[in-house]
Amino acid sequence: MSESRRREFNFGAGNPAPEVFPARALGEAAQRVLARSGKELARYPDARGVPELRAIAAERFAHVHGPRPPIDDIVITNGSTQGLQLSAQGLARPGDAVVVEEFTYSGTIRVFRRNGLQLVPVALDDEGMRMDALAEVLERQAALGRTPSFIYTTATYQNPTGTTQPLERRLRLLELARRHRVPIVEDDTYADVSFEPLTEPALYKLAEPGEVLYLSSFSKILGPGVRLGWLMAPQPMLGRLLGWKIDGGTSGLSQMIVAEYFKEQLWEHVEEAALAVKEKRNVLLDALEVEFGDMGMHWTHPDGGLFLWITLPAAVDRQRLQRLATERGIVYATGQAFHALDQDVPYLRLSFGWIAKEDIAEGVRQLAECVRQSLPAVV
Ligand SMILES: Cc1ncc(COP(=O)(O)O)c(C=O)c1O
């Protein structure tokens, strides 16, 4: 195998920067926790989670959005993926319609589909879900005599597009949801992977209690391997979800270690993690400008999160592009993976958390070559 073939350019994985994963500090935290409260692990954890980690979740919300929510409203989950699963089970029935952004997290699509939900897409632009399109979708559903079970949105640093809804859109979204009596599931997994101060408040904060279910995660500030997320809602919505959390509880060991670590250095770590991916985003944006600047292509400029979204020239042979990229060890996610209706669309998502900073410019240079080779020859 040649040297160039062995090199991998992984723009595919939606992971944070591995070089800031605090392995040693977590090891030390684990020792302290086990020495102090090992006995706790000889029984099942509380279904709602360890209070110390719920307090850290509340602190995260307070710091980013304010004010501090009561920990009674917070439940620790097995990643925010479990929050998605519980939303599908607790707020909907198989066969129900749920409204989603036209491009949305592939894991969400999988969970909702597997639960028999019908995804109703709403168009996006550079400021997230379009409210004119949402109004139309909700009107159309009403005309069919249907009320969607909920509207799912990632209003901040959206996956896959990296876009953020401005305040006016958030207010309009709440107004439309209220008018049509549809709850909102707000996936705020990326809110504190922020490169600029986040000025847009969470929908949860703007809403009346019970209008919004809030989902978040420890995956993107720490690592998906710890499998910790959290959700937040007041009763009775919380009860509807908890009724489905029949997993014996989320790992108490994982929760205790992470709570012990974050008790001392939550914001220090979050800032370090965000800075590491911000630097990679900057290198990626510069490389895209150099390599794709003259190709009339469009890409988003995210202020946070782990992704940017590229619009490919329509003439690109996308299958050929994928084949050429794979041959060179370039991994990216196709637009189709995120399309609510599984359509083959001319986009691709580049993740900039996992890849080494030194590999980004070369990876983009090679990707640009693959794109050029996937265009029809000019005769
Ligand atoms: C928008 C969104 N929600 C949820 C998840 C799932 O994350 P977790 O590891 O917390 O289950 C992801 C992961 O990529 C995501 O992008």
Side-chain angles (χ1 to χ4, degrees), residues 62-136:
H63 186 89
V64 178
H65 301 295
R68 186 180 306 270
I71 74 162
D72 281 351
D73 293 354
I74 292 175
V75 171
I76 302 295
T77 53
N78 188 36
S80 48
T81 302
Q82 188 177 38
L84 294 166
Q85 174 68 25
L86 297 175
S87 317
Q89 291 170 310
L91 303 182
R93 294 279 163 273
D96 284 0
V98 291
V99 175
V100 297
E101 283 133 355
E102 180 181 12
F103 303 111
T104 192
Y105 169 49
S106 47
T108 302
I109 296 176
R110 219 168 21 244
V111 170
F112 290 175
R113 283 223 188 101
R114 272 300 176 113
N115 281 278
L117 306 184
Q118 193 198 325
L119 275 61
V120 181
V122 173
L124 290 153
D125 61 18
D126 279 359
E127 296 188 332
M129 188 188 275
R130 270 180 35 207
M131 290 305 123
D132 58 330
L134 175 65
E136 217 178 286

Side-chain angles (χ1 to χ4, degrees), residues 13-15 77-84 101 104-108 152-154 156-160 187-190 215-220 223-230 306-307 338 349:
N15 301 332
T77 53
N78 188 36
S80 48
T81 302
Q82 188 177 38
L84 294 166
E101 283 133 355
T104 192
Y105 169 49
S106 47
T108 302
Y152 168 80
T153 182
T154 305
T156 301
Y157 313 142
Q158 206 248 6
N159 182 6
D187 188 336
D188 209 24
T189 285
Y190 296 96
L215 306 181
S216 186
S217 180
F218 288 91
S219 291
K220 311 298 171 168
V226 299
R227 295 319 294 132
L228 292 173
W230 52 286
L306 299 175
F307 315 107
F338 307 98
R349 186 196 76 175

Side-chain angles (χ1 to χ4, degrees), residues 22-37:
R24 179 197 289 261
L26 285 171
E28 290 163 3
Q31 281 184 347
R32 289 197 299 276
V33 154
L34 287 168
R36 196 171 66 223
S37 6

Side-chain angles (χ1 to χ4, degrees), residues 303-332:
D303 289 332
L306 299 175
F307 315 107
L308 62 77
W309 186 238
I310 299 186
T311 313
L312 292 168
V316 163
D317 177 340
R318 295 193 284 278
Q319 282 183 355
R320 180 170 158 78
L321 173 60
Q322 178 110 57
R323 205 172 51 248
L324 292 173
T326 305
E327 277 168 20
R328 292 175 181 234
I330 303 169
V331 185
Y332 59 80

Side-chain angles (χ1 to χ4, degrees), residues 233-253:
Q235 294 291 357
M237 189 189 251
L238 196 63
R240 287 171 70 185
L241 296 154
L242 256 183
W244 287 96
K245 197 171 183 317
I246 41 181
D247 56 358
T250 296
S251 163
L253 178 61

